[in-house]
Amino acid sequence: MSGPTPYARPFPHPSGAVAPVIDAQKLPRHVAVVMDGNGRWANQRGLPRTKGHEAGEAALLDVVAGAIEVGVTHLSAYAFSTENWKRSPDEVRFLMGFNRDVIRRRRDQLHEWGVRMRWVGRRPRLWGSVIKELETAQELTRHNTGLTLYFCVNYGGRAEIGDAVGRLARDVAAGRLKASSVDERTVARYLPEPDMPDVDLFVRSSGEQRTSNFLLWQSAYAEMVFQNRLWPDYDRRDLWAAVQEYVDRERRYGGAVDAPTAGP
């Protein structure tokens, strides 16, 4: 028998709510989360959009705690997309500094929980100070064996696939790879995180029903759950509800199951 985990338990939810008990074989292994609705949350309160982003920090931490409690092993958080550069310069500057500071503020706590942090995203245009904090967090937590948290900063699904295909094409041109041997498994090996498991459950807050270019390759067979709560109001109970909906669905992966026929 294995001994007790060396990691600290996440803080309990203030309401006293506890995670549902779900068979580990039925749990989603990898949950991807689009943290949407920060701006609308702030606008509804007459606040600057940046206040919504600030309020969303606690929601993310609570969701990480809830993922650990329910038994999810991989969690991806969409923190800054390649399309977010189109926002106003003031908001982009805020988001760069905010992401940097969140990682710095929370990495020790996540480390205590046994979280292994991984950065997924492009280097170009990203602030050097943000990259430094992401890499420091990765190094600090690289030996942890609890939840893996993919912090997706300057990330885009199409960009990720395009970059992977570019690297693959260069290897074919250099003779290191035969074009005739390229298949989907080959492409997957060229992704920046080739060991990332496929997304089982794709969750988006705020009521919007689109993927917004997040983990396109990995989400080919993901179950989609769209929830109406704005991200700053979101917490682990919403995550658990999404997980329960996932568990209650029938996954077929392109197959089909005939309904039983009635007897004579």
Side-chain angles (χ1 to χ4, degrees), residues 6 12 19 39 56 67 71 74-75 81 85 120 128 132 136-137 142 161 167-168 201 208 216-217 222 230 236 252 257:
H74 295 74
L75 181 71
S81 76
W85 294 106
V120 185
K132 178 182 177 182
T136 298
R142 67 191 180 99
I161 295 169
R167 289 191 292 271
L168 188 156
L201 171 59
E208 299 294 340
L216 299 180
W217 182 275
L230 300 177
R236 71 188 79 181
R252 297 177 181 172
V257 178

Side-chain angles (χ1 to χ4, degrees), residues 60-82:
L60 175 58
L61 193 67
D62 199 76
V63 164
V64 172
I68 293 170
E69 289 179 331
V70 79
V72 169
T73 58
H74 295 74
L75 181 71
S76 293
Y78 207 5
F80 188 92
S81 76
T82 50

Side-chain angles (χ1 to χ4, degrees), residues 78-122:
Y78 207 5
F80 188 92
S81 76
T82 50
E83 288 75 30
N84 286 157
W85 294 106
K86 299 175 185 178
R87 297 189 178 184
S88 71
D90 285 345
E91 187 170 2
V92 168
R93 279 193 295 271
F94 171 83
L95 287 170
M96 284 293 101
F98 181 65
N99 278 298
R100 176 196 62 210
D101 296 343
V102 166
I103 298 160
R104 182 186 299 152
R105 272 195 300 269
R106 300 301 187 179
R107 67 180 176 222
D108 288 340
Q109 186 169 24
L110 293 172
H111 181 46
E112 290 176 1
W113 292 353
V115 173
R116 183 174 72 107
M117 294 184 66
R118 300 292 301 166
W119 166 40
V120 185
R122 281 178 155 181

Side-chain angles (χ1 to χ4, degrees), residues 170-216:
R170 288 192 290 273
D171 279 353
V172 169
R176 293 187 290 268
L177 183 68
K178 291 183 178 180
S180 60
S181 69
V182 174
D183 58 18
E184 63 183 68
R185 290 177 296 180
T186 313
V187 176
R189 289 199 301 269
Y190 280 81
L191 294 173
E193 285 287 327
D195 295 329
M196 176 189 287
D198 283 348
V199 175
D200 297 305
L201 171 59
F202 188 107
V203 177
R204 182 171 187 145
S205 62
S206 87
E208 299 294 340
Q209 299 187 18
R210 56 182 178 271
T211 63
S212 292
N213 198 23
F214 188 40
L215 296 176
L216 299 180

Side-chain angles (χ1 to χ4, degrees), residues 201 224-227 240-249:
L201 171 59
M224 304 288 180
V225 174
F226 303 108
Q227 296 168 294
W240 295 338
V243 168
Q244 188 63 62
E245 183 170 342
Y246 167 90
V247 170
D248 292 340
R249 292 183 185 179

